[in-house]
Amino acid sequence: MRPSASGVRVPSAVVALCFAGSSLAAAQHEDRHGLGARAMGLAGAMAARAGSFAALYHGPAGLAPVPGERAALLEASVETFVAHPFVRVESLRGEPLRTAAPARSTFALLFGVRADLSRALGVRGLGAGFSLYQPGDALARWSNHPDDQLQWLHLTDRTHRIGAMAGLGWRPLRWLAVGAAARILFDIETLTVARVTDAEPQTDPTTGESYVDVTAQLGERVRAYGRLAPVLSVLVEPTEGLTLAARYRGSSEVEDWGWTRVEQVPAIGTLGFVHRFSHHVEPDQLTVGVALEPAPRWSLGAEVAWTDWSNGRSAEHRRYPGHFGDTIDPAVGIEWEASAAVAMRAGYRFVRRTFDPFGGPANLLDSDEHALTVGAGVELGAPGGARSGRWSIDVALRVAWLPGDTERKDWRRFASDEELELNPGRDGYRWSGWLASGALGVRARW
Amino acid sequence: MRLPAGAALFAVACGSPTPVPPSAVIQITPAAICVDDAHRTPVTFDGSRSVERLAVVPVAGEPVRFSWTLSGASWRLVSGSLQSPSLVVTSAGDRPLHASLLVTAPSGASARAIATLGLTVDGAADAGCAP
Amino acid sequence: MTRTGAIRVRLVVAATVAWGSAARAQTGVPFGDEPRSAALAGSGLAGPAGLDSVDRNPGALHTLERPVAALWAHGGSLRWWFARRGEPRDTQTRFVGGFGVALVAPWPGDGPLRTVRLGVGLHVPFEHALSVDAPPRDDVPSLALYENRAERMAVTVGGALALLDGAIGLGAAIRFVPSLRTPTRVRYDPGSSERRPRVLIDLERELPVGLAPVVGVAAQPLRALHVGLVYRGRAVMRAEGSNDTRAGGIRLDDPIDFAAFVEPDVLAFGVSWQPVAALRVQADAGWARWSRFVTIHDRRPDPPWRDMIEARAGVEIDIVRSITLRAGLAYEPTPVPPQRRVSNFVDADRLLVTAGAGIGLEALGLGRARLELYGAWLAMATARAHKDLDALPDDDAQTPGRQIRNLGAPAWSGSATAWQAGLGLTLPLGRDPWPADDDEASR
């Protein structure tokens, strides 16, 4: 789809401020669904495609103004995102099983901005982006559970949180662009103190158990720390119509740590515990991509991403050697300009599961994913006249199949018979499902 | 890469999980003294139940280091020191005496507990104070 | 410890977790303002539009003619001390810094909505997106207005509608006020051994978003005169949840219900006068309803705080075409009454002095951006408190008689100073002027 009549293949680079958060993403929401409706329609195969605020995540070199694009461009997008899982976890006898946290629907808003800063800062070819991703119901929501509870490794709310993205792209030469962006997530530290102020012996009227009814006063220290994950990319256009891309995404992680201390407990003194959860992990990733025009009005983008999942870990901050493995995920997206104002899109992405069942104490559910996407973009032109800004709409749908797997416990992997007996997944289980998601975005240009 | 929140926009660093802290415990005996006690009542500040690691079931681990800080009412040391597990002091009793105990584990992790020696200002006779 | 010997711990709510909001700190504190506004001591709600208008008075956005973005950063020191009578001062110094981004723009296009203006602002503290200390005791000395509120992330989104051919602007904005729900369930793993003890923790975090409104109007009755009126709704952040712990014989199963008062209701009026093209003088006065303040323990302070009227003023002079100098002054009377009872809030009347400059980079051949600089200094009078020992509650119900342990007894004094410096870039965006050919390419 052309953002202008001058033949620009894709909308140009951007600024984006993004509060990341979704409940349905293996790694980050953007990684499976793409940042925005256009990216979703192309199955996220955007590494070599410049010209939208989605470049913040998919390749910040694409934030640089695209040759032929209007100068001093400012674009702002408001998008909605919905996703719903249709998943099933059942015992080997076919009885449904509940997971510790349900796989829930997600509704979110995405706000993205990109700007050509060439004139503002006197640096030719400089663009910037900023995006904000906001789950519809809360700035963030997640739950952490012990690894031996039955739970989706990525599919629930592990990535439902605020986050932000900001970046710059620079095109020093017509055929070369480089870019850097930062994805911002937040760790949380909570230190809790309960000071016992009163104690009274009691007897439970139901069980007859004796206990001491203690009154305490609570204090809390909360800190939210920002955590930066870099995204670096380079775009090279050796010939007209061919773009090669390379991208590096630094690992990002969101942790939740702290301790709870109960002071002045009669006859005991101080009790407490320390917690440390890693409720979102996305390891380092390297991607190479290509965008080309195989025929007039057709453009094709493809990429292959290697992700260092062998450094992945569970929510309890555990690594299970040999069971988290690196992944190589391909994606391809195609766009057809049906007319000067309408573009149609389709794509496919395969996501290799990051954790294989191994019959041990952990009950973490993960699955390969085959995702098909379709999308469209409509340029609404300038409703107020030729001298006004332009509007456009993007829409995308995505359906992903999760073939799932089967888990059977191996007693040799447990420290004791008691540990196996107490494991919630001791009888074995299987899981599979579908994910459906969609996005709708409106973009304005000045 | 962990950063200060704002720095995440531009770059710098910070914030990491705390090591398992020790457990700092203060017991004060008696819990309060009479107002204007004038150094008559010896008061024990006992931190000996502090342990190396905060745990649901406290167990003695490696020895920890103690560092006491007293503020508020003027006080005199009767026994022990500000680096000992417990100490005995007297207080002028013109105001509460506040104790802060910093416990440091061999790992370097530390924890602080704060407690106050109260002043009995009313009901003096009930509390055994001279009316 | 066995189950029969279990101890039930009932948590009496006594702490609050504050989650940030508001695109700038309240009461004109120099933490977080956009540089131009900060250099003018936070005055200027009458307009013309600035990049902080979306939060300060969205009605003023109506004077905006083109998209403008700003990036800024600030850093400074907050130093305060507390001393009981006859004892040495306990002084604390902390760095407070942050970054901000704002974007304001007219509605794109020449259609019927062309009189609409939009804006969004984001402020992120440098060190912590959120920082809250809620001590378990009510009497811990604290800097009443700046303790937890200086570090909080803030997002404001708003818009304005120009009426009467741009003579009047009506605006509204919402400030996002996050809260925290954090149910926690803790169990001692019955399958764990003494050699490998294990605590099972199910921990949930949710940050629901509340909204605090901002409604404002700005008008230009005379060519050289702007006036404005704005109402900003109070913002209170909540921390709720439960702590259900059964571990090693302990049971904690009581709810958590905390509140953090971020900002009071404020009704403010401002005027801006431009007698000559190179000079602008502006002043604001605001009534802040501090009487609805609740402590971090979600209780009304005893005695309650007082409503206050604060004043701020600024002057802006273009000394040459590309250089503007600014200065500001604000007076903020304290809403905190004498601290004769349990609480020990350190606060007194405050004076804020600011200065700054704006430099057009075009004169240096560096593009159309403007560089904004400022410095600010905040001084507080010395707060003094004499405790009324008869009014202090019994701190130890288990011991005969009435015991007091108040950390401020018998009397104390305290004060604070702060300084801050910041710089920012103001970036005009979008095409200016629009060419006849909308699709003209620049390259």
Side-chain angles (χ1 to χ4, degrees):
Chain A
M1 175 178 162
R2 297 169 189 270
S4 73
S6 57
V8 178
R9 182 59 43 190
V10 285
S12 115
V14 190
V15 183
L17 167 77
C18 136
F19 273 54
S22 155
S23 19
L24 292 175
Q28 195 66 8
H29 148 76
E30 302 92 325
D31 198 42
R32 287 203 169 170
H33 297 98
L35 187 65
R38 181 168 184 264
M40 180 186 283
L42 293 166
M46 295 277 288
R49 292 183 184 269
S52 82
F53 76 88
L56 272 169
Y57 183 77
H58 295 283
L63 295 170
V66 175
E69 191 173 47
R70 203 172 69 194
L73 180 73
L74 169 67
E75 287 188 338
S77 300
V78 177
E79 309 206 355
T80 60
F81 167 78
V82 293
H84 187 75
F86 301 90
V87 291
R88 180 174 177 83
V89 185
E90 60 188 18
S91 70
L92 298 181
R93 295 187 299 274
E95 298 154 338
L97 298 177
R98 292 184 62 180
T99 52
R104 287 184 280 204
S105 299
T106 293
F107 169 74
L109 291 173
L110 174 65
F111 172 66
V113 180
R114 73 174 185 124
D116 176 359
L117 300 182
S118 304
R119 291 187 179 179
L121 293 175
V123 179
R124 189 178 178 84
L126 184 66
F130 209 49
S131 77
L132 170 69
Y133 180 87
Q134 168 63 63
D137 57 344
L139 288 180
R141 185 182 64 215
W142 64 76
S143 58
N144 293 304
H145 308 279
D147 288 349
D148 55 7
Q149 289 196 30
L150 196 61
Q151 59 191 297
W152 290 96
L153 182 59
H154 302 298
L155 198 59
T156 51
D157 49 17
R158 293 260 169 84
T159 59
H160 194 116
R161 71 184 65 78
I162 64 171
M165 292 201 78
L168 291 172
W170 181 43
R171 185 179 294 276
L173 301 169
R174 186 180 178 87
W175 55 271
L176 175 68
V178 295
R183 182 163 41 157
I184 305 157
L185 300 173
F186 298 94
D187 295 325
I188 285 191
E189 173 189 81
T190 51
L191 310 178
T192 304
V193 176
R195 293 171 63 91
V196 175
T197 58
D198 195 13
E200 196 172 331
Q202 299 281 352
T203 301
D204 189 311
T206 306
T207 65
E209 293 178 350
S210 61
Y211 63 92
V212 180
D213 192 355
V214 179
T215 301
Q217 201 168 34
L218 190 69
E220 193 151 24
R221 195 186 91 166
V222 178
R223 298 279 188 273
Y225 296 97
R227 185 189 280 250
L228 180 150
V231 185
L232 308 172
S233 82
V234 58
L235 289 176
V236 179
E237 300 175 26
T239 64
E240 185 75 24
L242 175 66
T243 304
L244 305 176
R247 179 186 70 215
Y248 164 75
R249 278 198 205 118
S251 64
S252 67
E253 190 171 348
V254 173
E255 291 196 290
D256 188 329
W257 71 81
W259 46 253
T260 297
R261 200 167 70 204
V262 185
E263 297 181 340
Q264 298 174 2
V265 180
I268 296 175
T270 295
L271 310 172
F273 58 88
V274 176
H275 72 270
R276 182 183 181 188
F277 285 113
S278 179
H279 52 82
H280 159 73
V281 177
E282 185 175 342
D284 291 328
Q285 185 183 77
L286 285 173
T287 301
V288 292
V290 61
L292 51 86
E293 299 173 10
R297 303 169 70 184
W298 288 83
S299 67
L300 176 73
E303 65 183 48
V304 176
W306 168 82
T307 309
D308 184 23
W309 271 108
S310 56
N311 277 318
R313 68 192 74 158
S314 73
E316 282 195 304
H317 236 270
R318 295 179 179 204
R319 288 179 176 157
Y320 294 94
H323 300 283
F324 280 109
D326 294 350
T327 61
I328 295 179
D329 302 332
V332 60
I334 192 164
E335 189 171 60
W336 171 52
E337 291 182 20
S339 72
V342 178
M344 306 300 292
R345 302 170 188 129
Y348 167 79
R349 172 174 286 263
F350 171 73
V351 183
R352 171 77 169 86
R353 72 181 175 200
T354 62
F355 185 82
D356 293 324
F358 69 112
N363 292 303
L364 308 175
L365 310 177
D366 196 11
S367 173
D368 293 344
E369 181 177 312
H370 301 268
L372 285 173
T373 64
V374 294
V378 179
E379 184 72 40
L380 299 182
R387 296 170 68 85
S388 68
R390 287 171 171 270
W391 294 84
S392 61
I393 294 176
D394 291 291
V395 62
L397 294 172
R398 178 181 189 272
V399 176
W401 173 48
L402 310 177
D405 207 335
T406 299
E407 166 81 343
R408 290 185 174 85
K409 294 301 179 190
D410 181 348
W411 61 270
R412 290 169 298 187
R413 295 188 181 276
F414 289 81
S416 64
D417 290 346
E418 185 185 24
E419 186 182 10
L420 172 61
E421 191 60 32
L422 291 169
N423 190 286
R426 60 186 176 277
D427 296 328
Y429 49 88
R430 54 178 169 253
W431 64 100
S432 60
W434 295 83
L435 293 177
S437 49
L440 172 67
V442 177
R443 182 180 55 195
R445 285 195 211 97
W446 288 265
Chain B
M1 189 183 304
R2 195 169 292 122
L3 303 177
L9 285 173
F10 293 82
V12 191
C14 174
S16 61
T18 50
V20 178
S23 169
V25 179
I26 299 177
Q27 280 192 304
I28 303 178
T29 310
I33 60 172
C34 302
V35 67
D36 295 325
D37 184 76
H39 299 283
R40 284 193 291 268
T41 306
V43 179
T44 302
F45 289 83
D46 184 4
S48 60
R49 299 180 76 164
S50 304
V51 295
E52 179 203 2
R53 291 170 65 90
L54 180 67
V56 169
V57 181
V59 292
E62 295 291 314
V64 295
R65 293 200 311 271
F66 298 86
S67 177
W68 293 87
T69 304
L70 301 179
S71 63
S74 64
W75 53 276
R76 293 174 189 160
L77 189 64
V78 176
S79 66
S81 75
L82 294 179
Q83 279 72 46
S84 61
S86 64
L87 64 162
V88 178
V89 302
T90 61
S91 166
D94 58 332
R95 62 185 67 182
L97 178 59
H98 310 287
S100 169
L101 171 62
L102 178 68
V103 173
T104 305
S107 66
S110 62
R112 184 181 294 276
I114 296 171
T116 299
L117 173 64
L119 281 187
T120 301
V121 292
D122 287 342
D126 293 342
C129 300
Chain C
M1 182 176 292
T2 64
R3 280 192 184 282
T4 53
I7 295 172
R8 170 170 295 179
V9 177
R10 175 163 299 154
L11 294 177
V12 170
V13 170
T16 301
V17 178
W19 292 90
S21 95
R24 62 192 179 87
Q26 156 62 24
T27 68
V29 180
F31 300 129
D33 271 341
E34 177 271 325
R36 176 178 173 272
S37 178
L40 296 165
S43 63
L45 67 85
L51 282 159
D52 64 331
S53 294
V54 62
D55 180 67
R56 193 175 302 281
N57 179 8
L61 288 173
H62 78 287
T63 60
L64 188 76
E65 295 299 334
R66 63 172 303 160
V68 184
L71 306 169
W72 68 90
H74 59 89
S77 170
L78 173 63
R79 179 184 176 88
W80 70 286
W81 59 269
F82 174 88
R84 282 183 293 267
R85 188 175 63 202
E87 296 182 43
R89 290 183 178 183
D90 180 7
T91 302
Q92 298 183 38
T93 302
R94 61 193 265 223
F95 171 82
V96 179
F99 302 99
V101 179
L103 174 67
V104 293
W107 187 268
D110 287 339
L113 295 176
R114 66 185 184 282
T115 57
V116 172
R117 305 290 185 266
L118 303 169
V120 59
L122 168 73
H123 179 253
V124 184
F126 182 82
E127 190 171 12
H128 305 113
L130 165 74
S131 174
V132 175
D133 282 312
R137 293 175 60 155
D138 292 330
D139 59 342
V140 173
S142 63
L143 202 53
L145 296 183
Y146 311 128
E147 195 70 21
N148 293 322
R149 300 162 65 238
E151 288 189 285
R152 60 184 193 277
M153 201 167 67
V155 179
T156 306
V157 178
L161 181 65
L163 302 174
L164 302 178
D165 203 23
I168 295 178
L170 291 177
I174 51 175
R175 292 170 296 158
F176 293 94
V177 185
S179 291
L180 173 67
R181 276 203 284 269
T182 176
T184 302
R185 184 173 177 269
V186 180
R187 297 289 183 272
Y188 194 56
D189 182 358
S192 64
S193 64
E194 203 166 288
R195 185 173 52 85
R196 194 179 71 87
R198 188 174 167 217
V199 176
L200 305 177
I201 303 170
D202 294 88
L203 184 151
E204 296 184 31
R205 305 275 194 214
E206 184 176 4
L207 278 73
V209 182
L211 305 176
V214 183
V215 180
V217 57
Q220 191 174 2
L222 301 173
R223 188 166 177 274
L225 185 67
H226 292 260
V227 295
L229 181 68
V230 65
Y231 164 76
R232 290 193 285 269
R234 76 171 187 160
V236 179
M237 297 175 284
R238 300 277 167 187
E240 300 168 338
S242 59
N243 194 325
D244 177 7
T245 299
R246 299 181 188 189
I250 306 179
R251 187 186 301 177
L252 302 89
D253 61 355
D254 287 87
I256 297 170
D257 185 12
F258 305 151
F261 195 91
V262 177
E263 191 163 343
D265 297 296
V266 172
L267 184 65
F269 173 77
V271 58
S272 173
W273 180 47
Q274 191 168 10
V276 296
L279 173 66
R280 176 175 296 115
V281 181
Q282 55 196 32
D284 298 351
W287 170 75
R289 197 177 180 191
W290 282 110
S291 57
R292 295 182 67 191
F293 177 83
V294 293
T295 69
I296 199 163
H297 299 150
D298 199 17
R299 289 194 281 264
R300 301 297 288 271
D302 180 20
W305 288 17
R306 304 170 296 212
D307 295 341
M308 277 298 142
I309 293 179
E310 58 188 42
R312 53 193 74 247
V315 60
E316 192 171 38
I317 304 171
D318 298 331
I319 56 170
V320 296
R321 184 168 175 270
S322 59
I323 298 180
T324 303
L325 298 182
R326 305 179 181 110
L329 186 68
Y331 175 68
E332 302 166 343
T334 178
V336 181
Q339 299 291 282
R340 298 176 62 80
R341 298 175 67 91
V342 174
S343 60
N344 292 300
F345 291 120
V346 178
D347 194 50
D349 294 352
R350 282 156 273 131
L351 190 67
L352 175 66
V353 180
T354 62
I359 302 165
L361 298 182
E362 199 165 15
L364 305 175
L366 296 177
R368 297 176 178 179
R370 285 182 67 85
L371 177 66
E372 315 283 0
L373 308 164
Y374 78 94
W377 180 71
L378 178 99
M380 180 189 292
T382 299
R384 300 181 193 282
H386 296 267
K387 292 296 174 189
D388 180 355
L389 299 188
D390 294 334
L392 293 176
D394 184 5
D395 281 328
D396 185 356
Q398 304 297 310
T399 303
R402 183 168 64 93
Q403 277 73 41
I404 61 168
R405 295 196 169 97
N406 193 281
L407 287 163
W412 58 262
S413 58
S415 185
T417 57
W419 66 265
Q420 179 164 291
L423 78 169
L425 279 176
T426 303
L427 306 167
L429 300 173
R431 194 121 204 184
D432 181 31
W434 291 83
D437 179 3
D438 187 43
D439 295 323
E440 176 189 335
S442 66
R443 303 172 179 81

